[in-house]
Amino acid sequence: MKSADRFAPGRSAARMNFLERIPTGWLITGAAFACLVLWAGPGWAQATSGDPVAGKLLFEDTPGETGIGQLGSCTNCHTIHDRRNRIATGTASATPIFTAVSFTSASGRFGTAIAANYGGAMGQFSALNNTQFADIAAYIADTPKLSVASLSFSPSAINTNTLSQDVDLRNAVTNGTLTITSVAISGTGAARFNVTADTCTSQTIAASTTSALSSCRVSVRFSAPTTAAYTASLTLTMRVQGSMTTFTRVLPLSGQVAVTPPPPSSGGGGDSGGGGLGLVWLAGLALATAALARRRA
């Protein structure tokens, strides 16, 4: 192909912008893939919650619940437990069956699977509407969860107890009752953290509902004999109704006595002025360079 055919009249290759340099075929292919991803999951990225009870029915009987007879059910290929494990770990390894999964990760993985395997078995689920998609993601994510991701403590002085901080264990909606068999703190800094209140150990809590959470609470405080940093883990061990298999939720704990930074030095010794001199030198170099460039122009 001649140069005159490739470029518009009056446009040289050197003056073409980035997009103009990309072959037309590549642009078409990229646009088509972007449209496919958007069409395969309209509005799914905007969903922030769903109904796990409705999602459970959809997961187990997709054609019956949607009225789309040509759809297969999710259970034709997966169990709910292997989906949670795969989303949480990225592998098919045998992790605890009630692995914690967030709604964001469940919906993101579900949408990606549909778009990436559009011509295969997953493509059929592009027929789901936004509500149905969100409900299935909510069911996948419906496992017992802790209310916070970690607890951090900063007492004002050595050997001073902090105020207690709370963590709630919330039961899921679709798993039945939850029995907490133990609550324990472990790790190298475990002695520095203390449970001050516990309504979880040996308790059985009912399933939550979509409008009311069912939970128990553990409260923890921290003190330290030095200003060193300490870490530990709060582990809650539990099992769901009808199962003797236990699983855990682990909460990282960290604490360190607040250390007041020393006041800035007021002396003239050392190299404290080096930073200022360095900036002046750089500014002078920049001005000289600009002047030289203008002279050459």
Side-chain angles (χ1 to χ4, degrees):
M1 182 178 293
K2 297 180 181 180
S3 176
D5 297 326
R6 294 173 57 196
F7 307 129
R11 293 282 286 177
S12 67
R15 296 178 60 189
M16 296 180 71
N17 64 35
F18 173 73
L19 289 177
E20 289 174 314
R21 292 175 182 270
I22 300 175
T24 302
W26 293 9
L27 286 174
I28 294 173
T29 301
F33 181 76
C35 289
L36 174 61
V37 172
L38 291 173
W39 177 68
W44 290 343
Q46 286 75 39
T48 57
S49 64
D51 181 350
V53 175
K56 183 176 188 295
L57 296 174
L58 283 164
F59 191 93
E60 296 173 349
D61 182 14
T62 313
E65 290 299 312
T66 60
I68 306 175
Q70 67 268 29
L71 289 182
S73 292
C74 297
T75 51
N76 290 349
C77 299
H78 308 294
T79 68
I80 185 61
H81 301 312
D82 72 35
R83 286 307 84 198
R84 288 167 177 159
N85 293 345
R86 173 73 74 170
I87 292 170
T89 66
T91 69
S93 60
T95 55
I97 60 176
F98 292 103
T99 303
V101 175
S102 70
F103 176 83
T104 300
S105 60
S107 57
R109 182 65 179 268
F110 191 20
T112 299
I114 293 174
N117 190 23
Y118 189 77
M122 287 300 297
Q124 62 182 313
F125 294 105
S126 63
L128 297 174
N129 62 38
N130 294 354
T131 299
Q132 293 163 341
F133 176 92
D135 289 346
I136 290 179
Y139 173 52
I140 295 172
D142 189 42
T143 61
K145 291 181 174 63
L146 298 178
S147 58
V148 294
S150 63
L151 291 179
S152 180
F153 301 85
S154 182
S156 59
I158 289 174
N159 294 322
T160 300
N161 287 320
T162 64
L163 295 175
S164 295
Q165 295 189 46
D166 303 325
V167 56
D168 295 331
L169 173 64
R170 297 168 178 168
N171 195 7
V173 176
T174 60
N175 289 336
T177 60
L178 181 70
T179 300
I180 299 85
T181 57
S182 66
V183 173
I185 296 178
S186 61
T188 56
R192 308 274 65 89
F193 300 88
N194 295 288
V195 173
T196 58
D198 175 8
T199 64
C200 292
T201 301
S202 300
Q203 298 299 310
T204 296
I205 55 178
S208 295
T209 68
T210 54
S211 59
L213 295 174
S214 181
S215 64
C216 62
R217 173 170 292 182
V218 177
S219 302
V220 181
R221 71 183 181 189
F222 171 81
S223 66
T226 70
T227 59
Y230 296 89
T231 60
S233 297
L234 175 68
T235 301
L236 292 83
T237 303
M238 65 204 78
R239 57 182 174 81
V240 298
Q241 181 178 358
S243 173
M244 296 307 294
T245 301
T246 60
F247 58 97
T248 62
R249 293 290 179 263
V250 180
L251 186 74
L253 306 174
S254 62
Q256 185 174 19
V257 174
V259 178
T260 303
S265 174
S266 59
D271 61 355
S272 60
L277 289 175
L279 290 175
V280 172
W281 184 86
L282 289 174
L285 179 61
L287 290 172
T289 302
L292 179 61
R294 177 171 295 181
R295 181 176 180 181
R296 288 181 174 177

